[in-house]
Amino acid sequence: MPRRHDPERRQRIIDAAIRVVGAKGIAGLSHRSAAAEADVPLGSTTYHFKTLDELLVAALRQANEGFAKVIASRGGLEDPRADLAAELAGWMGEWLAGDRTGVELEYELYLAALRRPALRPVAGEWAEQLADLLSRRTDPLTARALVAVVDGICLQVLLTGVPYDESYAREVLGRVVAGARE
């Protein structure tokens, strides 16, 4: 039987891995479960991703891209006249109000880097990209502090089930920004 050319197969495997992790957690992901979800032969997953860590890196990278799209769609973070704390609080609200499973998945992949060293560089890319973006509006130390606050607030919302409070986020982020001016 001739081999069928399928240029979208790699992407379908990544998308399937994201769905598996979203439904069953990282522990539920295997080459076999990704292949079944993507409706591809098992050999396709191991062809494109030699290890599960390689597949998780691709999934995390794709999740990071989704987060970057939320930031880019708002555009206000780059406007020097915009209230930085309000912009950050606004996009956090947009991100958390979107596909909750997607946000949870992004953090699950992000936190998986604690136990899977291969994921650490990609997990770090998210924080670096956001800090670089924020450094255009503030100093690098404050930018990193803002990233830490964003992470903390998002994790609290995800872990406690308490609804996102945009005014609280704006106030806390505003205090970090104001502290940088002093």
Side-chain angles (χ1 to χ4, degrees):
M1 178 188 239
R3 187 172 171 159
R4 199 176 97 206
H5 179 64
D6 185 357
E8 301 299 318
R9 186 171 288 190
R10 183 179 192 282
Q11 184 59 52
R12 285 200 330 267
I13 294 167
I14 295 168
D15 293 341
I18 289 171
R19 288 192 302 274
V20 169
V21 172
K24 301 176 183 175
I26 289 178
L29 182 65
S30 65
H31 278 100
R32 188 172 305 284
S33 65
E37 180 67 28
D39 194 26
V40 299
L42 178 59
S44 290
T45 61
T46 57
Y47 171 79
H48 290 287
F49 305 98
K50 304 291 184 236
T51 67
L52 277 181
D53 280 352
E54 286 182 23
L55 181 53
L56 284 168
V57 163
L60 181 55
R61 198 160 261 133
Q62 184 165 308
N64 284 350
E65 289 169 7
F67 169 79
K69 287 178 186 172
V70 170
I71 292 174
S73 71
R74 289 187 61 93
L77 289 180
E78 302 210 8
D79 181 354
R81 297 165 305 199
D83 178 341
L84 182 57
E87 285 298 318
L88 280 169
W91 73 249
M92 284 172 52
E94 185 179 324
W95 190 48
L96 289 165
D99 176 20
R100 181 70 171 233
T101 304
V103 176
E104 289 172 0
L105 166 75
E106 289 180 48
Y107 269 100
E108 185 168 359
L109 289 168
Y110 185 59
L111 293 173
L114 290 171
R115 302 273 185 241
R116 297 181 107 116
L119 296 177
R120 288 181 189 157
V122 182
E125 286 173 13
W126 176 87
E128 287 174 31
Q129 288 170 353
L130 183 54
D132 287 346
L133 180 63
L134 295 174
S135 290
R136 297 176 193 161
R137 297 281 313 276
T138 188
D139 64 279
L141 182 63
T142 302
R144 287 181 38 219
L146 289 167
V147 171
V149 171
V150 166
D151 259 346
I153 291 173
C154 289
L155 280 171
Q156 286 176 358
V157 168
L158 293 172
L159 294 173
T160 64
V162 173
Y164 175 67
D165 182 345
E166 189 169 324
S167 61
Y168 164 77
R170 187 173 45 252
E171 175 68 24
V172 172
L173 293 162
R175 289 179 184 200
V176 172
V177 172
R181 292 186 204 127
E182 294 177 358

